[in-house]
Amino acid sequence: MPYELSKVRVLVLEDNGHMRKLLRNMLLAVGVGDVLDLADAAQAYIKIKQTPVDFAVVDWEIYPVSGLEFVRKIRTERDSPNPFLPIIMVTGHTERERVTRARDLGITEFLAKPISAQSLAQRIEELIDRPRPYIRTGSYFGPCRRRKRGGIFIGTERRQPV
C-alpha cells in the first residue's frame, strides 16, 4: 500500500471473533497504526465517542444490533460522534438488493467475503484517492450514491455536496 497509515485509527465491528482477529491483522499488515475491534454495535458507538476513528470496517450481520443499524445511527442520530465517518461494509451476502440497501443507508464502500488484505487495501485506497462528497436530501444523508469513474454526473438530478 503506497500510503503511510501508522497514525490511522480504525474501528472493526464484527461479532465473530475469528473474523474480527483476521480483519485486525489485515489492517495492521497494510500499515494501520491502531485498530479498535469490538463485537457489539452499541459498545462501538459509545467507544468512538470517546476515541475517534478515521474509518470503520463493519460487518452486516452482528447481534443484537446489526451493522446496518450502526450505520444508520452514525449517519442520522443527533448525538452521532461523526456522521461523515467513512464506513466499509463487509458481508458474505452480496445480493443486489442488499448492496443497494447498504448503499442507501450510507455506507462508503462495500466488501464481499471472503476478503483478502489486497481487497481491503483497495477499499482503503478508494477512501483516500476518491473520497465521495456527502449529500443531504429529505430522506438520505451520507456519501454520494452516484459513482461514475472518470466523470461528473450531469443532469437535472445533479446534487450538490454538503
Side-chain angles (χ1 to χ4, degrees):
M1 173 163 259
Y3 297 102
E4 170 58 46
L5 302 175
S6 64
K7 296 191 185 322
V8 171
R9 180 179 294 136
V10 178
L11 166 71
V12 171
L13 179 54
E14 165 67 67
D15 62 351
N16 179 293
H18 296 295
M19 189 64 187
R20 193 170 55 251
K21 184 175 182 180
L22 180 65
L23 286 166
R24 176 187 209 8
N25 289 338
M26 285 182 184
L27 287 163
L28 294 172
V30 299
V32 169
D34 189 14
V35 179
L36 304 175
D37 56 271
L38 296 162
D40 180 89
Q43 289 176 347
Y45 193 79
I46 292 166
K47 182 69 173 177
I48 64 174
K49 283 183 170 184
Q50 302 162 350
T51 308
V53 296
D54 297 296
F55 68 91
V57 179
V58 177
D59 184 55
W60 178 302
E61 290 188 4
I62 53 177
Y63 299 98
V65 178
S66 75
L68 286 181
E69 179 61 20
F70 176 80
V71 172
R72 187 201 62 74
K73 283 186 69 141
I74 288 293
R75 295 288 183 245
T76 63
E77 291 293 314
R78 189 173 295 279
D79 71 338
S80 173
N82 182 1
F84 295 94
L85 180 69
I87 300 171
I88 300 172
M89 176 67 66
V90 179
T91 185
H93 303 281
T94 58
E95 300 85 6
R96 184 179 191 93
E97 58 273 0
R98 280 187 173 240
V99 175
T100 301
R101 185 169 170 213
R103 180 204 65 195
D104 289 348
L105 277 173
I107 65 151
T108 314
E109 295 293 333
F110 195 88
L111 186 56
K113 292 179 183 177
I115 66 172
S116 65
Q118 180 181 5
S119 63
L120 183 57
Q122 288 171 338
R123 294 311 183 285
I124 295 169
E125 287 177 13
E126 284 291 313
L127 297 177
I128 297 167
D129 290 341
R130 296 187 21 180
R132 292 162 53 195
Y134 279 68
I135 304 299
R136 182 178 307 278
T137 69
S139 61
Y140 175 77
F141 175 77
C144 182
R145 296 173 284 188
R146 294 178 175 154
R147 175 174 277 178
K148 182 178 177 185
R149 293 192 184 272
I152 297 173
F153 180 83
I154 299 172
T156 59
E157 298 275 324
R158 181 175 175 161
R159 299 183 182 140
Q160 298 299 316
V162 176

